[in-house]
Amino acid sequence: MNIYVSNLSFDVHDEDLKDFFAPYGEVTSAKVITDRETGRSRGFGFVEMTDEAASKKAIAELDGSTVENRTISVSVAKPKEDRPARNNGRSGFWK
């Protein structure tokens, strides 16, 4: 199950995120999303766990908990929607 975690401290890294969820079951991946230009955390991330029951328990117990003096939100991640390509503020077609 893919889990969305928000309101993370900017000091939380991938390995920290994995460690938060590891007591609940096997974590196959944990990724804190970073800004492309600065490399700084954007304050949210995703965790993949193999066992659905363990994932639901982790969500129930970690949602609203405090991590590094911040109350985090934990929920089932929504599927990424297809979005139109960005044109960076340009209008019309270019050759």
Side-chain angles (χ1 to χ4, degrees):
M1 176 181 286
N2 197 13
I3 301 167
Y4 173 70
V5 186
S6 62
N7 203 36
L8 291 170
S9 161
F10 295 125
D11 296 325
V12 171
H13 300 285
D14 295 351
E15 197 61 34
D16 302 319
L17 193 55
K18 183 176 183 177
D19 291 345
F20 299 150
F21 285 82
Y24 298 94
E26 182 183 355
V27 176
T28 53
S29 70
K31 180 72 178 158
V32 173
I33 306 304
T34 56
D35 183 273
R36 287 182 211 164
E37 293 179 21
T38 65
R40 183 177 174 197
S41 168
R42 294 190 56 205
F44 68 95
F46 295 92
V47 176
E48 280 276 343
M49 296 182 74
T50 54
D51 183 270
E52 188 167 335
S55 299
K56 288 180 179 179
K57 182 175 182 184
I59 291 168
E61 292 186 16
L62 292 175
D63 185 41
S65 65
T66 301
V67 177
E68 295 201 13
N69 298 316
R70 294 184 72 129
T71 303
I72 62 170
S73 294
V74 183
S75 61
V76 175
K78 295 179 178 146
K80 188 174 182 181
E81 296 178 9
D82 290 330
R83 292 182 287 196
R86 298 172 112 190
N87 63 9
N88 293 326
R90 297 183 203 117
S91 60
F93 296 96
W94 52 89
K95 297 176 184 174

